[in-house]
Amino acid sequence: RTGTPFITKFREQREMTVLLVFHASPSLRFGSGDQTKAELTAEIAAVLAFSAIANQDKVGLLFFTDLIEQYYAPRKGRGHVLRLIRELLAYRPRGRGSDLRGALEHVVRTQKRRAIVFVISDFWSADYEHALSICARKHDTIAVHIGDPRERIPVGAGLLRMADAETGAERWVDTDSRAWIDHVREDAVRFDEELAARLRRSGTDLIGLTAGESYVLALAQFFRRRVRKFVWA
């Protein structure tokens, strides 16, 4: 009627839910350099949360140790994310152990709609593979493995009294011993191989990060791979 074309453009409303599963046990407090694993865990969670709200997505947060420490249901908005960041920096857990299976089961029970689930942990936990497989079938599940350089390449420092951060068990260790250094290195290689196999069997993607090292390239490469994966799917 106006004599000029009228074009209506429809923009898809894309709203997703991102859930950050945050490992808060004492094993994450270890750090051989300027940054502990817990500090890197909090920083990564903050980066992912801000990325989600920039996409207009909802963000939720679950703290776990051997307990379900705290759960914040997914919501939108900068104020909500700033509150989550404050909790990440200030939270003091009650538990001392690691029950990743319980955390994953909690995610499956409470998150009814499909979500992107980032499990940010050092994965020093047992008997979680079945729960991880169930979670990965229901949600787009990504494991963010947090490590420290000295867990793989130890440096001798003489005779030291060491304590397990979660159990409190103590023992004397000769850190200059070649046998001990070789054992640590071999144990780290075995742990990495077993973790990669578990994640592969469960259908869970992996991002490997190390405290004290830049995570920018690792995150960028991971998300570029995922873009290509979905383009070719």
Side-chain angles (χ1 to χ4, degrees), residues 19-41:
L19 183 61
L20 307 174
V21 180
F22 184 94
H23 192 173
S25 82
S27 69
L28 274 293
R29 297 176 194 165
F30 176 73
S32 61
D34 295 332
Q35 186 182 48
T36 66
K37 293 194 292 184
E39 289 168 342
L40 176 58
T41 302

Side-chain angles (χ1 to χ4, degrees), residues 11 22 24 70 85 119 126 137 146 155 159 180 183 193 196 214:
R11 178 173 296 175
F22 184 94
Q70 188 71 47
I85 301 305
V119 184
R137 284 199 295 269
I146 305 295
V155 174
L159 190 62
W180 181 80
H183 170 74
E193 290 174 347
S214 174

